[in-house]
Amino acid sequence: MSNVLIGFNPKGFADDAVEILKKAKHKVTVMPASHNIDQKDLIKAAKGKDAVLTLLSNRIDDAFFKAVGPQLKIVANYAVGFDNIDLEAAKKHKVIVTNTPSDVVNESVAEHTFALMIALAHRVAEAHIFTTHGEYKGWTPDLFLGNNLKGRTLGLIGAGRIGGAVAERAYKGFGMNVIYSDLNKNADIEKNAKAKHLPMDKVLAQADIVSIHVPLFPSTRHLISTREFSLMKKGSLLINTARGPIVDEKALCRALKTKRIAGAGIDVFECEPAIDCDLTDNLELRAMPNAVLTPHIASATYEARADMAIIAAKNIVAVLAGKKAISPAK
Ligand code: GLV
Ligand code: GLV
């Protein structure tokens, strides 16, 4: 028996994690809440534990490992991304780090990418506000004109698992053309979505809609900034369901304000949970009528959250049994 901390309250959406861990005869402690977990409270609860299931909003660094103690064997991050974890520090403290790559999560994020894309192309968010504010006074043929997705070019920045799921839906579901940039060629989407591999600048210049699907690394921070917006087509859209800091948010606000691009669908923010890093320059993402914003919920379906719980718990069970992790973060 080992001691496991679930660093949030899994009740109602991630109960499988508790079941799996208990079945493996581990002692499971859960944090009472799922939001605003203070770093100090997390560390206090994690002290002496052999395994901790963490959230992407937790900072897992050298100080965390030192405070929790040398018995800690695994940090299972309840997320696909793991930019909140210092992998070097984990290695130094001999702690295995895992994430939750999953087809179900990929489906959820890909669907949310289309939710944002369609919301922009068909102006759903603006039209909703208009309608609920009682402004619909009669049908006119030019009310909220948008664009069809069919036949438009989708440019993927990053075509791993999630980008691949987006590519397939774009091609098969919506009849879009797909182009992509990635360090690696993706043979599956070249075959199944007739996707074309191009350098990033060419993708930016040719796409009607650019969608970001790379992880956050030092090398991808501000990957999309002023220069990149200047390459994008006038009238194009940007979708970000990956990580906020990949886009230079001030440059995005300027591009939206000056209509350099036509709109943005944003699920992740540079200074999350703040929607704007600072409010001193009249460049607020929240104030842009051509931005559709959601609060980091692309993988927030019951199906995805349950699958993530199963993967995280199975990683913990494997590592505590002295076996290889199922999905080590790499
Ligand atoms: C969510 O953002 C995740 O990385 O799973
Ligand atoms: C991102 O997580 C990807 O796999 O493309």
Side-chain angles (χ1 to χ4, degrees):
M1 188 199 77
S2 300
N3 290 308
V4 181
L5 174 70
I6 298 184
F8 56 95
N9 187 345
K11 205 167 165 37
F13 66 95
D15 307 289
D16 289 337
V18 183
E19 296 291 310
I20 292 167
L21 291 164
K22 283 192 170 160
K23 216 165 161 187
K25 306 261 182 290
H26 296 305
K27 182 166 180 286
V28 182
T29 309
V30 302
M31 295 293 278
S34 296
H35 60 278
N36 296 338
I37 294 163
D38 190 77
Q39 188 80 1
K40 278 203 213 88
D41 294 340
L42 178 74
I43 288 178
K44 206 167 139 202
K47 215 167 251 187
K49 299 287 189 290
D50 305 293
V52 183
L53 216 155
T54 54
L55 298 178
L56 61 88
S57 45
N58 302 140
R59 204 175 56 257
I60 308 300
D61 53 11
D62 195 59
F64 176 90
F65 293 120
K66 274 195 184 126
V68 172
Q71 79 297 328
L72 181 66
K73 293 189 182 59
I74 171 170
V75 165
N77 211 36
Y78 189 65
V80 176
F82 45 85
D83 45 281
N84 58 311
I85 300 180
D86 181 343
L87 292 186
E88 284 297 310
K91 206 166 155 190
K92 190 178 109 191
H93 290 273
K94 300 194 168 52
V95 176
I96 307 266
V97 176
T98 62
N99 67 338
T100 58
S102 136
D103 288 345
V104 185
V105 173
N106 300 345
E107 286 154 14
S108 178
V109 177
E111 288 180 11
H112 197 80
T113 301
F114 280 97
L116 293 173
M117 226 186 280
I118 294 168
L120 286 165
H122 290 261
R123 302 182 61 184
V124 174
E126 284 171 88
H128 173 78
I129 293 169
F130 175 89
T131 310
T132 53
H133 283 59
E135 289 175 43
Y136 182 38
K137 306 289 188 214
W139 189 85
T140 57
D142 57 351
L143 189 59
F144 287 107
L145 287 177
N147 288 106
N148 287 6
L149 293 184
K150 166 103 182 180
R152 301 189 95 204
T153 298
L154 174 65
L156 301 171
I157 307 298
R161 291 176 293 259
I162 293 170
V166 173
E168 213 164 308
R169 283 156 179 75
Y171 177 73
K172 292 185 180 158
F174 292 96
M176 302 177 81
N177 308 314
V178 181
I179 56 179
Y180 75 101
S181 70
D182 197 293
L183 295 178
N184 304 305
K185 281 189 134 200
N186 181 330
D188 285 344
I189 65 167
E190 297 204 358
K191 183 162 165 268
N192 299 329
K194 303 272 185 292
K196 198 162 123 200
H197 186 245
L198 291 171
M200 189 176 87
D201 285 1
K202 288 230 158 71
V203 170
L204 293 169
Q206 292 179 22
D208 298 304
I209 300 165
V210 171
S211 189
I212 301 172
H213 303 285
V214 287
L216 174 61
F217 292 129
S219 60
T220 59
R221 185 172 291 271
H222 284 195
L223 183 68
I224 306 297
S225 186
T226 309
R227 188 191 77 88
E228 289 67 33
F229 285 115
S230 77
L231 296 174
M232 285 173 70
K233 275 189 190 171
K234 211 169 156 65
S236 62
L237 306 172
L238 178 79
I239 312 289
N240 188 7
T241 54
R243 282 292 182 271
I246 297 166
V247 176
D248 176 346
E249 214 163 80
K250 286 297 165 200
L252 169 63
C253 288
R254 276 192 296 273
L256 288 170
K257 200 165 185 172
T258 59
K259 306 259 165 53
R260 176 84 276 289
I261 65 169
I266 304 293
D267 184 55
V268 285
F269 302 91
E270 186 167 358
C271 299
E272 224 167 287
I275 304 303
D276 289 282
C277 293
D278 74 78
L279 300 172
T280 56
D281 53 5
N282 291 321
L283 275 177
E284 296 174 36
L285 199 49
R286 278 177 302 173
M288 302 291 163
N290 47 352
V292 174
L293 311 179
T294 52
H296 202 153
I297 55 167
S299 61
T301 61
Y302 283 106
E303 294 82 1
R305 290 284 183 259
D307 207 41
M308 290 160 69
I310 292 168
I311 296 170
K314 283 186 172 169
N315 270 303
I316 291 176
V317 170
V319 169
L320 291 180
K323 294 184 194 148
K324 269 205 176 125
I326 298 157
S327 51
K330 62 175 189 300

